Amino acid sequence: MDDERLSRVFAALADPTRRELVARLAVGDATVGELAEPFDMSLQAVSKHLKVLGDAGLVSQRRDAQRRPCHLESEVFDLASKWLERYRLQAEGRYQRLDRVLAELVDQTDAAPRSAARNQGAQAS
Amino acid sequence: MDDERLSRVFAALADPTRRELVARLAVGDATVGELAEPFDMSLQAVSKHLKVLGDAGLVSQRRDAQRRPCHLESEVFDLASKWLERYRLQAEGRYQRLDRVLAELVDQTDAAPRSAARNQGAQAS
DNA sequence: GGCATTGTCAACCATCTGGTTGTCAACTGC
DNA sequence: GCAGTTGACAACCAGATGGTTGACAATGCC
């Protein structure tokens, strides 16, 4: 089931147009029209791309009158990031540090965005 | 051009069969036949999957008589991993730490696998 | 109510993808 | 040299993907 989600995330990110949409949304939320504007492509096409990103869980949409502001979701990024990180390290033959690095990823994910001083003590849980 | 490479890497990883091949290769090099064995699929199909992984730069093949042992390459993992990590953090609204984390990824990539004590001092550059 | 704005849904089309089978090339070993 | 092993390449096929256009639903504004 994670497998299915991974497939959708990677497939969604395999398209350059969709990666540009992600990059734009990383700056801040935007409506479909705003997102479509820079592209030489119909609004419908962009809407379809957003649906793919949405199905992958990378993007969510609110409802604001006629508008549907899009928002980047971080959760599935974690999933893909961890998968990649695991095999990146193994490909380097340095999987001995895997546990520590994955723990750090989790730490970065779970910790509230309060201080930047979470690096030296770091709760072990 | 990095865009093209990213597209190929993500597209390659979007298929569950190919992710399993990567997982298997992370354990160690293997021939096409060895890789195909666990799959309910023709050798040619697996060979095609390996070609996709090869075109993406994720896997390389040596030549050993009739065999072509496959090897996992780490370089493009870096590329994809950094892309993901950047937007993962931005999606979390914590891009203020982006520079530090990307530097850390580079550190993990470049540093020889010698010590595990690279974490508390952490160069600021 | 009626019109403009914003975006989705449906149908259609060309191309890509993931599998198949068949053939062939490269190499080993008898 | 001939047979067996390992694997790639080509042709083919069904289904997915990425784009188009046209219709329409939902909402705000006059």
Side-chain angles (χ1 to χ4, degrees):
Chain A
M1 57 200 64
D2 258 9
D3 217 44
E4 174 63 26
R5 293 176 71 204
L6 270 178
S7 291
R8 276 203 292 255
V9 173
F10 283 133
L13 296 179
D15 185 279
T17 300
R18 288 195 289 262
R19 283 199 305 279
E20 278 194 57
L21 290 172
V22 167
R24 167 63 187 82
L25 285 172
V27 175
D29 295 4
T31 67
V32 179
E34 286 165 355
L35 289 169
E37 198 269 349
F39 291 99
D40 185 21
M41 179 187 311
S42 69
L43 184 83
Q44 289 93 321
V46 172
S47 181
K48 276 170 87 171
H49 280 303
L50 285 169
K51 181 160 181 1
V52 174
L53 289 168
D55 289 345
L58 289 161
V59 163
S60 62
Q61 288 190 322
R62 291 204 328 279
R63 172 109 215 187
D64 172 24
Q66 315 97 310
R67 319 238 167 65
R68 284 149 188 85
C70 300
H71 175 77
L72 208 55
E73 295 290 335
S74 64
E75 191 186 320
V76 270
F77 276 95
D78 293 358
L79 185 68
S81 203
K82 278 175 195 143
W83 192 94
L84 260 182
E85 194 61 11
R86 148 165 273 131
Y87 293 112
R88 182 177 80 85
L89 290 172
Q90 287 194 300
E92 288 168 7
R94 308 216 269 122
Y95 44 88
Q96 58 282 2
R97 290 211 298 108
L98 182 61
D99 288 346
R100 225 195 50 65
V101 171
L102 287 186
E104 191 165 317
L105 279 173
V106 170
D107 177 31
Q108 290 169 9
T109 304
D110 296 346
R114 38 195 138 90
S115 94
R118 80 170 224 303
N119 204 34
Q120 59 275 51
Q123 67 295 359
S125 72
Chain B
M1 55 198 60
D2 259 9
D3 216 44
E4 175 62 25
R5 294 176 71 201
L6 270 177
S7 291
R8 277 202 292 256
V9 173
F10 283 133
L13 297 179
D15 185 278
T17 300
R18 288 194 290 261
R19 283 198 306 278
E20 277 194 58
L21 290 172
V22 167
R24 167 62 187 83
L25 285 173
V27 175
D29 295 3
T31 67
V32 179
E34 286 165 356
L35 289 168
E37 198 270 350
F39 292 99
D40 185 21
M41 178 186 310
S42 68
L43 184 84
Q44 289 92 326
V46 173
S47 181
K48 275 170 86 171
H49 279 304
L50 285 169
K51 180 161 181 359
V52 174
L53 289 168
D55 289 345
L58 289 160
V59 164
S60 62
Q61 287 190 323
R62 289 203 330 278
R63 175 108 214 191
D64 171 25
Q66 316 96 311
R67 316 235 170 66
R68 283 147 189 88
C70 300
H71 175 78
L72 208 54
E73 295 291 335
S74 63
E75 190 186 319
V76 269
F77 276 95
D78 293 357
L79 185 69
S81 203
K82 278 174 194 145
W83 192 94
L84 260 181
E85 194 62 11
R86 148 164 273 130
Y87 293 112
R88 183 178 80 84
L89 290 172
Q90 288 194 299
E92 287 168 6
R94 308 215 269 120
Y95 42 89
Q96 58 281 4
R97 290 212 298 106
L98 182 60
D99 288 346
R100 225 195 51 64
V101 171
L102 287 186
E104 192 163 318
L105 278 174
V106 170
D107 177 32
Q108 289 170 12
T109 303
D110 296 346
R114 39 197 136 93
S115 97
R118 71 164 234 309
N119 201 36
Q120 58 275 49
Q123 66 301 351
S125 71

